Amino acid sequence: MERDKRGMPMNREALFADETEDYRIPAEPDEGQEVCLRFRALKSGVDRVFFVRLNKGIQARMNKRSSDDIFDYYEYRMTLGAEPEFFYFRVDAGGETCFYNRLGAVDAAGWDYAFRITPGFHTPDWAKGAVMYQIFVDRFNRGETFNDVESGEYIYIGRPISQVTDWGKYPETMDVGCFYGGDLQGVWDKLDYLQFLGVEVIYFNPLFVSPSNHKYDCQDYDHIDPHYGVIVKDGGKRAVETGMDNSEATRYILRSTDRRNLEASDAFFARMMEEIHRRGMRVIIDGVFNHCGSFNKWLDRERIYEKSGQYEPGAYVSADSPYRSFFKFNSDNWPYNGSYDGWWGHDTLPKLNYEESPKLYQYILDIAKKWVSPPYNVDGWRLDVAADLGRTSEFNHRFWRDFRRVVKEANPDALLLAEHYGDPTSWLQGDQWDSVMNYDAFMEPLSWFLTGMEKHSDWSSDELYGDGAKFFESMAYNMARLQTPSLLTAMNELSNHDHSRFLTRTNRVVGRLGTMGAKAAEEGIDKGVFREAVLVQMTWPGAPTIYYGDEVGVCGWTDPDNRRTYPWGDEDIELMDYHSYLTKYHKKLKSLKKGSIKPLAWGEQYICYGRMKGKEKCVVAVNNGKEDRDLEIPVWQLGIPDGTVLTRLMYTNRYGHNVGRVEYKVKNGFVMIDLEGTSGILLACRVGGIMDV
């Protein structure tokens, strides 16, 4: 492989550099620290390599420091100042010049897509490549019955809430006030299962006091909801027994506002956190700080706190409320002033008025600190609609800088991961969020490639379906928006509580619950395509995040159908087994957790790529077409020399999966693989050694 077989003076496929531990040492340096940057080229294949430092407008020739059978490795060392460094590489060979940035080898380069070092930007090491598991608590497992929400207990959005007694019942179109009884004890009871599955981090949808089953309309940020935790003081009447008025719903008032219930639930959560940490797992909780709910104790539109007699008046109730500045009112019509601003106009979701309330600002920062501190010691926050918080971009960034500061001071190892659609660059400068839910650089490109479906199942695209080149192109451009510390901790999901289940997307049908019905979400699905998606999920850079029930075949259209219950006793055992094997490999292989990624081959309905870290190499190939395909994969690009034996760790096709070991020998820089239609394969090797997996 000393020269391109086509006779070109430069083999661009041999060029490589990124921001992982193999090519930046240390990967996350601090101000004043020396950093070593490495660049790879074909052995004796280039004349010169230059480090181009955009900040200083200088070019420095790199020195060739080492070689192996296939490549030469060049190095440049520099000491960091306080400001970020932006750079790319220039390569000269045989009269030809090309440049190398985060998109790879390009004909021209500048500030766009340049490599970046942000001194002092660290993301938690435990979160890099961690296997996460998202739990929508009400639908995961019912551990206790004494804390169940009762039918008619209170009124929510004009209707009595209802207790669903049939665990397997499909969600209704108006599902927000329907409760199946899942709780935190139910999660505790299934910790053994989560460990069997290979879960390292549990991500909980909101846990704080709230009247809805999704709890994105917070009632009290200071406490865990007793309906998820512990009810030690009970009694009173339901709303349906008192004239359909929450001000007289004394049972709900007692359950959700009595400090004995709140403190008991908080204490239960602290004990649960201790047990989860004892098992070596972590927890991320949901923080909804852009808006709260109309039930919130600061507003008290439902007058439940007014009736409890234990709290100061809410801003809806009284103009003299200590919380009046927490909301923006558009008239002086007190008492019971409903003129406050709602998020997107929804009066059930009051927008929090940070700019005009330093007291609110500090209150939320105190909440941020409280839950990552003892006795709870939560390991991170997932931040709901984080880009919407505040009324201006300038204020939004200021808030998240302060939020990061107080959280990291309380728990330096905490993760800050935000929900965001679109370009997150301005929040990922190292001073605000750590990372994002990875829609643009994972969920969407993979969904388009494997299913041709948008993530809600709202439309389809034949143009994007099966286009391997567009898949890699989309991934590259969107991944380049994230610094590598953010990329390795990004939440890579196939499904979640806001989008259709991936397994349903495999039927390639546009639809929702209200138009198609629940049964249609299970018809025409392709578990072979789903297994391909899981294979990519478990081998792509980032934190693979399983949405509860995906691993056992749960289907569903977008919200609310995606919030079906976990089917205990009716699981797809083959899919569960498949997930457990892949999480084991993902955790065992350092190349899959923190290694570099290199596209190797692509075309109509197929992709091949490699992961590499040190001597450890992995190869992934997916044939999403219906016909069998022979693939010649250029594994020399990963630094795998001829004669090396790659071991098959996983094979999946339309019928199931196989973990039987099969060996593939590298010849002339390539490995030959026969892939059935709708199949995928994971190969691994340790160059010059033996794989221990």
Side-chain angles (χ1 to χ4, degrees):
M1 301 306 300
E2 292 198 2
R3 286 285 180 179
D4 190 317
K5 292 180 179 180
R6 295 170 294 177
M8 292 179 63
M10 185 189 305
N11 188 326
R12 294 192 175 196
E13 296 299 337
L15 306 180
F16 190 80
D18 66 6
E19 299 168 319
T20 64
E21 295 173 350
D22 282 355
Y23 289 88
R24 177 188 294 170
I25 307 165
E28 297 178 6
D30 294 315
E31 178 185 356
Q33 193 168 12
E34 184 183 71
V35 60
C36 175
L37 303 171
R38 304 181 76 221
F39 186 86
R40 190 194 82 178
L42 193 66
K43 190 171 185 178
S44 303
V46 301
D47 299 325
R48 293 172 298 276
V49 179
F50 292 88
F51 169 79
V52 183
R53 191 176 183 182
L54 288 164
N55 305 58
K56 305 296 184 181
I58 62 173
Q59 297 188 36
R61 186 165 179 175
M62 301 180 71
N63 297 312
K64 183 166 67 175
R65 293 297 188 189
S66 61
S67 302
D68 56 26
D69 292 343
I70 303 175
F71 302 115
D72 292 327
Y73 297 90
Y74 295 78
E75 291 185 2
Y76 178 81
R77 293 175 180 270
M78 66 177 177
T79 300
L80 297 180
E83 298 301 314
E85 292 283 350
F86 296 86
F87 61 93
Y88 57 85
F89 302 96
R90 192 191 98 200
V91 185
D92 297 338
E96 178 186 359
T97 294
C98 82
F99 305 90
Y100 199 96
N101 61 15
R102 292 200 69 191
L103 296 182
V106 294
D107 292 326
W111 288 87
D112 291 341
Y113 307 108
F115 292 106
R116 172 175 179 162
I117 303 175
T118 302
F121 179 31
H122 302 273
T123 59
D125 201 58
W126 61 262
K128 292 180 173 73
V131 177
M132 300 186 181
Y133 191 86
Q134 179 183 352
I135 296 180
F136 191 91
V137 177
D138 184 61
R139 308 297 163 84
F140 181 65
N141 187 45
R142 187 184 187 199
E144 300 287 2
T145 58
F146 65 81
N147 56 4
D148 287 350
V149 176
E150 298 179 4
S151 291
E153 185 176 322
Y154 54 96
I155 309 302
Y156 183 71
I157 313 183
R159 300 172 59 177
I161 57 90
S162 62
Q163 179 184 18
V164 181
T165 56
D166 178 4
W167 183 256
K169 183 178 181 291
Y170 291 126
E172 299 177 358
T173 305
M174 184 58 179
D175 175 69
V176 67
C178 299
F179 294 84
Y180 286 69
D183 53 26
L184 289 175
Q185 182 63 58
V187 177
W188 195 327
D189 292 345
K190 297 299 182 180
L191 290 179
D192 286 347
Y193 165 68
L194 296 180
Q195 288 195 286
F196 158 78
L197 193 61
V199 172
E200 297 172 286
V201 183
I202 300 171
Y203 155 45
F204 285 112
N205 287 110
L207 302 176
F208 303 138
V209 184
S210 163
S212 65
N213 57 34
H214 57 68
K215 302 200 180 302
Y216 283 97
D217 49 354
C218 187
Q219 181 175 321
D220 188 345
Y221 293 99
D222 287 291
H223 300 289
I224 301 296
D225 196 315
H227 291 98
Y228 280 177
V230 180
I231 295 175
V232 295
K233 181 63 177 177
D234 209 357
K237 294 183 178 181
R238 296 174 294 157
V240 293
E241 299 169 328
T242 62
M244 303 286 282
D245 183 351
N246 282 331
S247 67
E248 300 300 329
T250 53
R251 182 167 302 178
Y252 183 71
I253 293 172
L254 183 62
R255 288 178 159 196
S256 67
T257 72
D258 189 281
R259 299 190 190 280
R260 289 165 290 187
N261 292 329
L262 300 173
E263 291 169 2
S265 296
D266 295 347
F268 177 86
F269 181 64
R271 293 194 301 274
M272 182 178 179
M273 285 298 307
E274 185 177 357
E275 173 62 16
I276 290 171
H277 284 154
R278 186 189 68 79
R279 291 169 176 255
M281 295 191 290
R282 307 265 185 163
V283 168
I284 296 170
I285 61 174
D286 223 318
V288 188
F289 302 126
N290 166 68
H291 57 273
C292 62
S294 58
F295 279 64
N296 191 279
K297 65 183 178 183
W298 302 331
L299 184 69
D300 197 21
R301 179 170 181 141
E302 302 297 320
R303 301 175 60 195
I304 61 176
Y305 290 93
E306 178 188 13
K307 294 294 185 177
S308 76
Q310 301 179 43
Y311 293 82
E312 295 182 280
Y316 171 81
V317 174
S318 171
D320 297 323
S321 169
Y323 311 117
R324 177 175 171 176
S325 66
F326 287 24
F327 309 94
K328 187 174 183 60
F329 290 91
N330 299 305
S331 74
D332 294 327
N333 297 324
W334 276 280
Y336 314 129
N337 188 344
S339 69
Y340 55 86
D341 282 356
W343 184 52
W344 289 94
H346 298 293
D347 64 1
T348 57
L349 301 174
K351 176 83 171 173
L352 290 172
N353 187 33
Y354 290 96
E355 285 89 338
E356 297 175 17
S357 182
K359 181 179 178 181
L360 168 66
Y361 196 102
Q362 187 58 50
Y363 200 126
I364 293 297
L365 293 185
D366 290 342
I367 290 295
K369 177 181 178 180
K370 170 183 176 177
W371 292 102
V372 299
S373 302
Y376 312 107
N377 298 310
V378 166
D379 301 289
W381 286 100
R382 181 266 189 187
L383 306 168
D384 187 62
V385 292
D388 285 12
L389 185 142
R391 303 183 189 278
T392 66
S393 175
E394 181 181 10
F395 183 88
N396 181 279
H397 290 300
R398 172 191 154 194
F399 177 87
W400 291 122
R401 289 186 186 100
D402 285 341
F403 191 95
R404 180 183 185 86
R405 175 180 52 80
V406 299
V407 168
K408 297 290 186 175
E409 286 175 355
N411 184 349
D413 220 18
L415 178 71
L416 296 179
L417 190 147
E419 176 193 28
H420 187 70
Y421 299 85
D423 188 350
T425 304
S426 61
W427 289 274
L428 297 177
Q429 302 294 305
D431 60 347
Q432 296 170 70
W433 310 336
D434 285 322
S435 193
V436 292
M437 301 181 76
N438 204 4
Y439 295 124
D440 292 356
F442 184 76
M443 182 190 283
E444 291 197 88
L446 187 59
S447 184
W448 288 122
F449 172 69
L450 291 178
T451 71
M453 297 296 295
E454 181 267 342
K455 59 184 178 293
H456 290 281
S457 292
D458 279 344
W459 67 83
S460 63
S461 170
D462 290 335
E463 180 183 356
L464 295 175
Y465 176 48
D467 191 324
K470 288 182 179 177
F471 167 80
F472 279 128
E473 180 181 341
S474 178
M475 284 291 202
Y477 276 95
N478 286 297
M479 289 168 70
R481 293 171 169 173
L482 282 68
Q483 297 187 67
T484 296
S486 297
L487 182 66
L488 294 179
T489 54
M491 190 178 279
N492 288 349
E493 294 187 295
L494 299 175
S495 323
N496 64 22
H497 63 290
D498 284 327
H499 306 99
S500 59
R501 294 271 183 171
F502 193 95
L503 188 52
T504 287
R505 268 176 258 155
T506 66
N507 67 13
R508 307 200 64 223
V509 173
V510 172
R512 289 199 172 209
L513 178 62
T515 57
M516 301 294 291
K519 276 291 185 182
E522 304 168 4
E523 296 171 352
I525 59 172
D526 192 326
K527 292 183 179 179
V529 173
F530 177 62
R531 281 190 293 271
E532 291 175 0
V534 177
L535 178 63
V536 176
Q537 180 186 39
M538 294 294 170
T539 57
W540 198 263
T545 305
I546 303 166
Y547 184 42
Y548 80 100
D550 264 15
E551 76 276 20
V552 293
V554 174
C555 296
W557 303 110
T558 196
D559 173 20
D561 197 38
N562 53 19
R563 301 169 184 181
R564 298 183 183 187
T565 52
Y566 188 103
W568 299 108
D570 194 27
E571 302 95 330
D572 185 319
I573 300 301
E574 186 274 329
L575 283 181
M576 181 195 298
D577 191 52
Y578 179 67
H579 277 79
S580 70
Y581 271 108
L582 283 176
T583 58
K584 180 184 75 171
Y585 295 145
H586 178 86
K587 293 192 295 183
K588 184 76 171 179
L589 297 169
K590 294 180 180 179
S591 56
L592 297 184
K593 275 239 176 191
K594 299 169 72 174
S596 305
I597 186 166
K598 181 79 167 64
L600 298 175
W602 55 88
E604 184 62 27
Q605 295 289 1
Y606 75 92
I607 54 172
C608 307
Y609 57 90
R611 299 292 304 276
M612 48 188 176
K613 190 175 192 309
K615 299 294 185 180
E616 184 184 285
K617 320 287 182 179
C618 289
V619 177
V620 179
V622 171
N623 176 19
N624 195 49
K626 302 304 180 186
E627 304 300 322
D628 297 354
R629 185 186 302 273
D630 296 333
L631 291 176
E632 186 179 39
I633 304 175
V635 297
W636 68 267
Q637 295 180 24
L638 304 178
I640 304 176
D642 287 353
T644 302
V645 173
L646 286 157
T647 301
R648 188 186 80 180
L649 301 181
M650 175 61 74
Y651 183 73
T652 173
N653 60 19
R654 60 173 60 95
Y655 308 109
H657 70 277
N658 191 321
V659 293
R661 301 296 172 96
V662 178
E663 295 184 343
Y664 295 80
K665 195 169 187 178
V666 179
K667 182 178 181 181
N668 296 325
F670 292 79
V671 66
M672 302 294 297
I673 297 177
D674 301 328
L675 282 181
E676 298 173 86
T678 315
S679 68
I681 194 168
L682 169 62
L683 310 175
C685 71
R686 184 170 184 82
V687 175
I690 299 174
M691 285 298 300
D692 179 24
V693 182

